[in-house]
Amino acid sequence: MTYESTRKLYEDAGQGHLFQFWSSLSSSEQSALLTQLDSIDIKRVNRIHAKALEVEKATTEGASSEIIEPLPEDASSSTNDPAAESEWRQLGLRAIAEGEVGVLLMAGGQGTRLGSSAPKGCYDIGLPSHKSLFQYQAERIARLQTVAETEFGKAKGSVIIPWYVMTSGPTRPATETFFAENSYFGLDSSNVILFEQGTLPCLTMDGKVILDAKSHVAVAPDGNGGLYAALRQPVSSKPQDATRTVLSDLASRKIRYIHSYCVDNCLVKVADPIFIGYCVHKQSDCAAKVVPKSSPTESVGVVALRQQKYSVVEYSEITQAQAEQIDLKTGELAFRAGNIANHFYTLQFLNEVEDFEDNLAYHIARKKIPHIDTSTGEIVKPTKPNGMKLELFVFDVFPFTKRFAVLEVSRSEEFSPLKNAPGTGSDDPETSRMDLLSQHKRWLEAAGAKLEEGVEVEVSPLVSYAGDGLEGVRGKVIKKSGILNSLKDLDTLV
């Protein structure tokens, strides 16, 4: 677009102030600003802002009248039935063996709270191996491919689980470098596809787009729900990727089922065949893994019904009476399905999101946003919230599903989030490390080994995906701490 047409578009949208400093900019700065403005759908931004305000107001005024109910009995199952679990695992593993399963990883965050400027997936939680979160997850994929090949008689290297890693603008270069320097952790680089979540302009409290420099609009990631729009964008700016999107790549590989999760959970079962098989069995188009709430007051959103539609209901949106309500059939909390951002989709459903995307309401996060004072041209670093960022949450699509399902899993086996700085005492590197090593101890003991007091053994994901492949430890007494990179390493630990 030309300068004149772009300026008119923005002025018509009530955002003409973005050209305030145009005459004082160098030609390169003018070009950069015009390029950025042309990449923004300003009419869409205005629509998103207006709808976000409308829904926020309606929610605030009408929250008490919303009907919030526990999940219906037929919508949820748990992994406490060995026979059903075995059946689901076979279904899921068969889909993996047939090349029908892909994985979406949401990994756009930085480890700022952890004291690191690197992408969170690069973080080392202090395991004996010092493997990063990225490496652990990559090796789980590699192990699962091997398990599927073995159990279904497939040729070695023939089973592929493509891994789609969503970064953000700030983390993409470092993530690409980290993967390349580590040779994609043993995976074929052609099956590891990095792509980038989108951004939206930051806005003032009255909806005006903010400049953070005279020639640059302040932007922020559009939330983990930006995943859906990002799936339709070119995976990179390279000419050969001009028409290649995650959705087109999934289709070209004939992927039918997709597992999606967040990078910060060290216990995540990537492409979990039990979860995949459960969803296939239920014929779900979208599903969520949950863990039981630890207590009525735990500050976690729960999967429930809002106005008879599946939703994630924040802990602040249910009453104390609801939080303490007991399911008379099970004796457990009625609202217990704690959300852990661990989801299943069919490819068909992901393709359908675009059809109802305009009905999704973005959430407003009011933040302190550095900006240019349009009257003085000086940079301002506010001390209190002065603007808003607009975010979509990955679970905002739940109310639009036709066949939704929930699988309740064990927290100790599948959920240990890394959220807080070292030494915090909860959801920090120390608790992640402890939870993973405790799991490995349970695996070894279940396989027939005995660990002496204080001994810690890390089991490589390449050795065992979920406690499998450890038959060789039966009868062994493990006396030394260390790493089990293969069963041969047992000799150095007993």
Side-chain angles (χ1 to χ4, degrees):
M1 294 176 69
T2 64
Y3 161 74
E4 289 78 11
S5 59
T6 301
R7 181 159 190 164
K8 185 177 187 307
L9 175 66
Y10 275 78
E11 287 176 344
D12 290 347
Q15 305 285 1
H17 64 283
L18 298 174
F19 292 89
Q20 175 84 13
F21 305 104
W22 183 263
S23 61
S24 66
L25 302 179
S26 66
S27 58
S28 61
E29 289 172 330
Q30 288 178 344
S31 177
L33 177 59
L34 202 60
T35 298
Q36 186 186 24
L37 294 179
D38 285 343
S39 71
I40 297 169
D41 184 343
I42 194 60
K43 291 181 179 179
R44 175 174 176 264
V45 172
N46 284 349
R47 286 199 308 271
I48 288 173
H49 171 248
K51 188 175 181 70
L53 286 178
E54 175 189 332
V55 171
E56 183 183 62
K57 181 181 179 182
T59 301
T60 302
E61 294 177 351
S64 60
S65 64
E66 281 195 324
I67 299 174
I68 296 175
E69 302 169 287
L71 289 171
E73 187 176 347
D74 62 353
S76 179
S77 299
S78 65
T79 52
N80 57 9
D81 181 341
E85 189 173 321
S86 178
E87 178 186 346
W88 298 336
R89 181 181 179 276
Q90 281 300 105
L91 276 173
L93 206 58
R94 181 178 295 278
I96 290 169
E98 296 300 323
E100 296 177 338
V101 175
V103 173
L104 287 174
L105 166 59
M106 293 174 282
Q110 290 175 298
T112 309
R113 289 189 190 177
L114 307 171
S116 169
S117 60
K120 191 181 278 190
C122 302
Y123 197 80
D124 167 12
I125 60 175
L127 293 169
S129 67
H130 294 288
K131 291 178 180 177
S132 64
L133 293 169
F134 279 141
Q135 182 166 355
Y136 243 78
Q137 292 159 26
E139 291 182 352
R140 285 185 180 131
I141 290 173
R143 170 64 184 172
L144 192 54
Q145 291 174 161
T146 299
V147 170
E149 288 166 357
T150 302
E151 294 200 21
F152 285 89
K154 299 285 184 176
K156 185 176 181 180
S158 65
V159 172
I160 294 169
I161 303 172
W163 196 21
Y164 300 86
V165 181
M166 186 175 78
T167 67
S168 62
T171 63
R172 181 166 189 162
T175 303
E176 289 178 333
T177 298
F178 192 70
F179 271 76
E181 288 178 347
N182 288 279
S183 302
Y184 294 82
F185 311 106
L187 298 176
D188 187 326
S189 61
S190 67
N191 299 320
V192 181
I193 299 92
L194 274 64
F195 66 108
E196 195 172 315
Q197 77 180 100
T199 60
L200 283 171
C202 300
L203 306 176
T204 63
M205 295 301 187
D206 58 357
K208 299 296 184 182
V209 174
I210 293 174
L211 288 170
D212 58 9
K214 292 180 180 180
S215 59
H216 190 267
V217 168
V219 297
D222 53 5
N224 56 20
L227 168 72
Y228 304 108
L231 299 179
R232 302 192 300 269
Q233 300 303 312
V235 295
S236 80
S237 58
K238 297 175 182 176
Q240 63 267 33
D241 287 332
T243 60
R244 183 188 179 208
T245 68
V246 173
L247 289 179
S248 72
D249 196 80
L250 286 164
S252 70
R253 295 172 184 265
K254 296 182 170 55
I255 300 296
R256 298 177 64 191
Y257 312 116
I258 296 97
H259 177 225
S260 176
Y261 67 96
C262 286
V263 74
D264 60 3
N265 177 14
C266 70
L267 295 181
V268 65
K269 293 173 69 176
V270 185
D272 176 17
I274 293 172
F275 186 37
I276 299 292
Y278 167 71
C279 296
V280 172
H281 172 74
K282 295 281 285 187
Q283 296 184 319
S284 304
D285 53 6
C286 179
K289 262 191 189 185
V290 300
V291 296
K293 284 184 68 173
S294 59
S295 71
T297 57
E298 183 183 9
S299 300
V300 62
V302 294
V303 182
L305 292 182
R306 188 201 302 271
Q307 302 294 80
Q308 299 187 320
K309 292 185 177 181
Y310 293 101
S311 302
V312 171
V313 179
E314 298 299 341
Y315 63 91
S316 57
E317 296 179 291
I318 61 175
T319 65
Q320 182 177 342
Q322 286 174 315
E324 296 174 350
Q325 182 180 334
I326 299 297
D327 182 330
L328 297 179
K329 286 188 177 181
T330 65
E332 298 176 298
L333 293 174
F335 291 92
R336 68 176 181 274
N339 176 50
I340 59 172
N342 193 314
H343 304 144
F344 164 93
Y345 311 97
T346 62
L347 179 57
Q348 180 178 341
F349 178 78
L350 290 178
N351 278 307
E352 290 171 353
V353 171
E354 187 175 12
D355 296 338
F356 59 77
E357 204 165 40
D358 281 347
N359 296 317
L360 300 176
Y362 281 70
H363 307 266
I364 297 173
R366 291 175 173 82
K367 302 285 187 178
K368 292 180 284 189
I369 303 170
H371 62 280
I372 291 290
D373 186 323
T374 54
S375 62
T376 66
E378 299 296 320
I379 187 73
V380 177
K381 295 184 177 180
T383 56
K384 60 182 181 180
N386 65 301
M388 58 181 75
K389 298 179 180 181
L390 298 168
E391 301 175 320
L392 199 63
F393 298 154
V394 71
F395 51 73
D396 286 333
V397 300
F398 287 2
F400 297 87
T401 58
K402 299 179 181 71
R403 298 176 302 279
F404 191 74
V406 174
L407 182 64
E408 183 178 286
V409 299
S410 165
R411 184 185 293 245
S412 63
E413 291 297 330
E414 299 207 32
F415 187 54
S416 180
L418 180 60
K419 304 289 186 185
N420 301 320
T424 304
S426 66
D427 298 345
D428 63 13
E430 292 82 7
T431 58
S432 291
R433 178 187 189 277
M434 177 185 67
D435 289 344
L436 190 57
L437 292 179
S438 295
Q439 180 188 64
H440 292 179
K441 180 180 179 180
R442 291 193 298 273
W443 288 356
L444 291 166
E445 290 177 340
K450 180 181 178 182
L451 277 68
E452 291 194 346
E453 186 72 26
V455 169
E456 293 181 329
V457 177
E458 178 186 351
V459 179
S460 168
L462 296 173
V463 172
S464 180
Y465 176 81
D468 52 282
L470 297 174
E471 294 79 10
V473 307
R474 181 171 297 279
K476 303 288 186 180
V477 178
I478 301 177
K479 302 176 181 179
K480 300 176 184 177
S481 297
I483 308 168
L484 207 62
N485 286 313
S486 74
L487 291 182
K488 293 178 182 179
D489 292 337
L490 268 175
D491 296 338
T492 64
L493 303 179
V494 296

